[in-house]
Amino acid sequence: MASTTEPTTAYVDEIAGSDETGLGSEAAPFKTAIKALEKLGENAKVLIKKDAEGFKDISGAALKKAKKTLVEQQRKAKKLEEQKAKQEEEQKKKAEDEAKALEAAKSIVLTEDSSLPAAKKIKIRQGVESRGQRVKVSGWVHRLRVQGKDMMFVILRDGSGFLQCVLTGKLCHTYDAITLTTESTITVHGVINALPEGKTAPDNHELVVDYWYVVGKAPGGDEAFNNKVTQDADPSYLLDNRHLVLRGETSAAVMKARAEVIKAFRAHYDSRGYTEVTPPCMVQTQVEGGSTLFEFNYYGEKAYLTQSSQLYLETCLPSLGDVFCLAESYRAEKSHTRRHLSEYSHLEAELAFITFDEMLDGLEDLMCDVIDRIMDNAETRKLIEQLNPGFQKPARPFLRMKYADAIQYLKDNDIKKEDGTFYEFGEDIPEAPERAMTDKINRPILLTHFPAEIKAFYMQRCQDDRRLTESVDVLMPGVGEIVGGSMRMYDREELLEAYKKEGIDPAPYYWYTDQRKYGTTPHGGYGLGVERFLAWLLNRYTVRDCSLYPRFTGRCTP
């Protein structure tokens, strides 16, 4: 007896149905006929709703088209499934082959050929002078490239330079070679040979390796160095991983340039007869105002991290003559600008028996002589050209501009405050308008004669206008102020009056005041922010890039 079972009915609502959540019922219809045939079978009776008239039998043509489309989709799905299975099988085989290769590689042991000359241990910077000799070099794998089964190129880095190393044959087949990762530390033995014309590598040579071994292997996978530090990473993440960022070519170049710049500053002062001193960083006096002091408990007494070593430098003048120091200074400024740090390297100098004009001449001499020394050194010049292509030495003489003229310049050039008003005499000129002015003039500026009310208590007032001080800021295009200086009050009574006006107890400053008691003299000095100088010289966006581990509001790690 023939079956009389009715075909399953599938409801399709092209307006309100869903192929994802539909069940094919009238209450939960599918959206397409294709889905209905796929879920309920090609013999299903399809009722379709296209408008407000309700469900109707699907047309023969529409049903035929839906069945044809379903068959095509199923064919494609099957093909994809077969391809996926094949890929999985290939990947499985590849993994098995790699596992076997790795296992086999473990049995390959390298031994140094005792018949070869003993390898001379060198740093990479000694590579050129060591060509043709068998050498031993240790460093970090900076870059790695595998070429076929029998050749590897490793760019090695040891802080003194970069060296291309070539590994061939058996040297590439060991377990360590197959699993080698960037930032792993290795030691290589071999001979350094000059490269033929047309080939390039650091210092135009390469080390042909005859023996090597791993000292410390860096991780791969998600923890691989190249996955930890990327150029487009969030700045906070990069600061958290500053210890890794410093391994990059740009950061390393900045730190090397910083070291050379500091050498140049010291060489300048040495050539001019200054004596370097090392003042304390834990103090009980202020220099730049109490609002930016970092306070701490010093054996039950209140003490601070120094804002400046100036006061101590002044006490050295009678015994040592002109002096300078390079020390850290600390300012508790809640500022997030790109030129502020809470801890920075402060180059400070004090000079005795000088006039204000002589101090300005000395500042210009300092800046230009240091730049000359830097650019006259071939290796340092390369760093400058790498970091700041097209750098030009500042032209002498620097522009000398009085504060009052700067106020007028801001007005003449329509540089205003945020509220739309102009800056008036007696007001401090903030960073933004100061930089706008400096960038527009586009040359170094010695900005002088600031009003006493906006400067530190110890600054000498002008004889011809007691409202003003013999003070100076050195402004550089692109970064703004990098030096602040002044003549210092040398009359004891005037200094005591300045303490009183500022509400400062003179008792803790007795040793400073005594300089005006035991043989006073006109004298002056200045402080230069090393990171700001570097930001200008190396064209860095922020001074944070010029500090080894920058400290600023909210950042005291790592």
Side-chain angles (χ1 to χ4, degrees):
M1 186 176 178
S3 172
T4 58
T5 304
E6 290 291 324
T8 305
T9 301
Y11 289 87
V12 174
D13 186 339
E14 292 186 345
I15 300 169
S18 171
D19 284 347
E20 287 74 34
T21 60
L23 302 174
S25 64
E26 188 173 358
F30 293 121
K31 189 174 184 66
T32 65
I34 297 169
K35 181 59 70 174
L37 296 175
E38 178 190 341
K39 291 292 185 182
L40 302 179
E42 62 180 23
N43 294 323
K45 180 182 180 181
V46 180
L47 298 179
I48 191 165
K49 181 180 180 182
K50 295 186 177 183
D51 48 38
E53 291 185 12
F55 291 98
K56 296 179 181 179
D57 286 336
I58 190 170
S59 70
L63 182 61
K64 185 177 179 181
K65 183 179 179 182
K67 286 182 177 181
K68 184 179 178 180
T69 304
L70 177 60
V71 169
E72 183 63 23
Q73 286 182 352
Q74 289 172 336
R75 186 186 67 78
K76 287 182 179 179
K78 184 179 179 182
K79 186 176 180 180
L80 286 172
E81 192 64 34
E82 289 172 350
Q83 287 176 341
K84 183 180 177 184
K86 184 179 179 181
Q87 287 175 349
E88 288 175 350
E89 185 62 31
E90 288 174 349
Q91 288 173 353
K92 181 181 178 183
K93 187 176 184 306
K94 183 181 177 183
E96 289 173 351
D97 290 344
E98 287 177 350
K100 287 178 183 177
L102 284 174
E103 198 59 35
K106 290 178 182 178
S107 65
I108 300 174
V109 179
L110 301 179
T111 55
E112 186 173 6
D113 187 343
S114 59
S115 68
L116 293 172
K120 175 188 173 185
K121 184 178 180 180
I122 67 165
K123 292 288 188 182
I124 291 175
R125 67 171 180 268
Q126 299 168 292
V128 173
E129 66 194 62
S130 302
R131 286 179 181 175
Q133 304 174 47
R134 187 165 184 264
V135 297
K136 172 184 176 181
V137 184
S138 298
W140 286 259
V141 176
H142 189 65
R143 282 193 293 275
L144 174 66
R145 177 166 60 90
V146 177
Q147 188 167 306
K149 292 183 178 180
D150 293 309
M151 185 173 285
M152 288 173 60
F153 290 91
V154 173
I155 301 296
L156 202 61
R157 180 190 79 239
D158 73 349
S160 74
F162 297 89
L163 176 64
Q164 179 167 289
C165 306
V166 184
L167 288 72
T168 57
K170 185 179 177 182
L171 299 175
C172 304
H173 302 159
T174 66
Y175 180 81
D176 282 338
I178 295 172
T179 59
L180 191 60
T181 52
T182 55
E183 293 306 315
S184 293
T185 43
I186 64 173
T187 295
V188 295
H189 294 218
V191 178
I192 299 176
N193 298 320
L195 286 174
E197 282 295 322
K199 301 220 170 181
T200 59
D203 291 327
N204 292 313
H205 60 211
E206 65 185 12
L207 186 146
V208 179
V209 180
D210 58 55
Y211 175 67
W212 74 285
Y213 56 88
V214 171
V215 178
K217 187 166 286 184
D222 292 342
E223 284 296 300
F225 179 81
N226 293 336
N227 291 329
K228 293 282 286 184
V229 178
T230 57
Q231 287 186 338
D232 57 353
D234 182 87
S236 292
Y237 175 84
L238 293 177
L239 285 166
D240 287 339
N241 290 278
R242 180 72 174 163
H243 58 296
L244 299 180
V245 171
L246 288 169
R247 299 184 182 208
E249 291 179 27
T250 299
S251 294
V254 170
M255 290 302 111
K256 287 180 180 179
R258 176 188 169 102
E260 295 303 321
V261 165
I262 288 172
K263 284 182 191 175
F265 275 120
R266 285 197 162 105
H268 167 84
Y269 285 121
D270 184 59
S271 70
R272 302 307 194 262
Y274 288 64
T275 300
E276 182 173 5
V277 294
T278 51
C281 69
M282 297 186 288
V283 301
Q284 291 185 304
T285 52
Q286 67 184 53
V287 183
E288 299 297 328
S291 63
T292 64
L293 285 168
F294 280 109
E295 183 181 318
F296 66 96
N297 185 312
Y298 186 74
Y299 302 111
E301 292 185 287
K302 186 184 291 186
Y304 315 101
L305 294 177
T306 184
Q307 300 166 312
S308 165
S309 297
Q310 174 208 319
L311 306 189
Y312 293 94
L313 291 179
E314 289 186 51
T315 68
C316 298
L317 294 176
S319 56
L320 301 176
D322 297 343
V323 291
F324 80 97
C325 73
L326 178 59
E328 299 303 284
S329 284
Y330 305 86
R331 304 279 173 91
E333 292 179 281
K334 291 185 172 64
S335 177
H336 281 282
T337 76
R338 56 192 174 113
R339 70 174 193 171
H340 280 93
L341 291 167
S342 297
E343 176 187 39
Y344 66 98
S345 296
H346 206 178
L347 186 75
E348 298 182 86
E350 289 293 321
L351 304 89
F353 298 103
I354 60 165
T355 65
F356 185 47
D357 283 336
E358 287 172 336
M359 190 181 78
L360 297 182
D361 292 340
L363 268 173
E364 189 171 306
D365 176 52
L366 168 72
M367 307 289 286
C368 294
D369 181 55
V370 166
I371 293 299
D372 285 343
R373 290 173 186 272
I374 291 167
M375 299 306 286
D376 287 344
N377 181 296
E379 290 302 313
T380 310
R381 187 171 64 251
K382 281 184 193 175
L383 290 171
I384 305 300
E385 290 169 352
Q386 173 190 338
L387 296 163
N388 188 7
F391 172 76
Q392 296 291 321
K393 294 180 184 180
R396 301 180 75 169
F398 290 0
L399 175 64
R400 300 193 181 189
M401 174 187 280
K402 292 185 177 181
Y403 164 87
D405 295 329
I407 291 292
Q408 189 59 48
Y409 181 94
L410 296 179
K411 290 179 178 178
D412 293 344
N413 288 270
D414 203 34
I415 300 173
K416 301 178 180 178
K417 301 178 189 175
E418 289 185 359
D419 64 5
T421 61
F422 285 111
Y423 291 93
E424 300 296 339
F425 186 92
E427 295 181 314
D428 190 20
I429 303 175
E431 175 192 0
E434 181 181 79
R435 281 194 31 209
M437 176 182 74
T438 309
D439 290 351
K440 192 164 186 175
I441 293 173
N442 197 32
R443 59 182 289 199
I445 301 172
L446 294 170
L447 188 59
T448 64
H449 298 92
F450 291 86
E453 285 70 23
I454 60 174
K455 283 297 180 180
F457 71 91
Y458 52 76
M459 292 189 178
Q460 181 65 48
R461 294 184 180 237
C462 298
Q463 294 303 314
D464 57 345
D465 188 344
R466 302 295 290 176
R467 298 176 306 157
L468 305 178
T469 56
E470 292 184 323
S471 53
V472 58
D473 285 352
V474 180
L475 311 179
M476 285 292 186
V479 68
E481 180 196 345
I482 60 174
V483 181
S486 76
M487 297 297 286
R488 319 305 192 190
M489 284 184 182
Y490 65 95
D491 180 81
R492 184 172 180 273
E493 295 306 316
E494 187 177 7
L495 180 60
L496 289 172
E497 186 60 32
Y499 290 142
K500 184 177 179 181
K501 185 175 180 182
E502 289 293 319
I504 297 173
D505 180 5
Y509 294 85
Y510 71 93
W511 51 275
Y512 179 68
T513 310
D514 272 358
Q515 303 308 305
R516 284 80 181 156
K517 181 177 179 181
Y518 294 94
T520 193
T521 176
H523 63 287
Y526 53 82
L528 176 147
V530 172
E531 289 82 7
R532 289 190 185 181
F533 182 87
L534 287 165
W536 164 71
L537 175 66
L538 306 179
N539 193 29
R540 297 299 95 188
Y541 176 74
T542 169
V543 293
R544 297 173 188 178
D545 292 341
C546 303
S547 174
L548 188 66
Y549 284 93
R551 298 293 185 248
F552 52 92
T553 307
R555 169 66 60 176
C556 199
T557 56

